[in-house]
Amino acid sequence: MLTAAQKNLPCATPATGVFFLAALAVSSLWAALWAAVGSAIALCLAILFHADPASVSAGLFGFSPVLTAIALGCTFYKPNLRSALWCVVGTTVTVFVQAGMDALMLPYGIPTLTGPFCVATWLFLLPRLKMDDVDLPDHSDWHHTRESKQS
């Protein structure tokens, strides 16, 4: 799980994963939480569906789901129960999008990189669900919007 959380970095060790989560926590506790949750979801699904053990060990199935979990869990939506459920579904879908894109690109030798993250995140941002307040149409700047609304 920790190797998936730090796939953005050049070395894949559990210690690096711990440092990556700690660095995220310094910036945002929500981001660190969703990175860990996204990695755990990806790991469980990869094992459940008998993904290549070498790929699972290397954390390759956690790369895009971690990014999706952070994006949907605390970047584009205000953290609450509804957005958490939406994030879990989006992260789960990311694992399947990644499996599909990997299978599609493998014959051509093209790595998917962050493609599954982009596709799944766009897909789950399209509805622009109002997860918190009906008066706030844009959730990308919810801190600022809340403060200006209270003034």
Side-chain angles (χ1 to χ4, degrees):
M1 185 171 101
L2 292 173
T3 54
Q6 56 75 41
K7 268 300 164 192
N8 293 323
L9 303 173
C11 60
T13 66
T16 309
V18 170
F19 287 125
F20 181 78
L21 288 175
L24 277 173
V26 168
S27 175
S28 167
L29 290 175
W30 283 111
L33 171 73
W34 281 113
V37 169
S39 181
I41 289 170
L43 177 64
C44 290
L45 288 172
I47 291 170
L48 180 68
F49 288 100
H50 305 290
D52 175 41
S55 297
V56 174
S57 307
L60 296 179
F61 280 94
F63 177 64
S64 288
V66 164
L67 297 176
T68 301
I70 294 170
L72 296 178
C74 62
T75 302
F76 293 108
Y77 292 115
K78 179 181 178 181
N80 61 40
L81 181 60
R82 290 178 66 194
S83 65
L85 294 173
W86 191 241
C87 178
V88 168
V89 172
T91 303
T92 302
V93 167
T94 303
V95 175
F96 293 103
V97 168
Q98 181 171 350
M101 288 182 74
D102 286 346
L104 180 69
M105 301 296 189
L106 182 64
Y108 306 105
I110 301 172
T112 57
L113 302 174
T114 59
F117 154 68
C118 295
V119 170
T121 301
W122 288 340
L123 179 69
F124 279 79
L125 289 176
L126 280 176
R128 302 295 295 175
L129 293 176
K130 295 179 180 178
M131 299 286 187
D132 50 356
D133 190 340
V134 293
D135 298 327
L136 302 175
D138 180 12
H139 300 283
S140 62
D141 190 21
W142 57 272
H143 285 293
H144 181 296
T145 307
R146 280 272 187 219
E147 291 168 3
S148 64
K149 185 177 177 182
Q150 292 173 352
S151 306

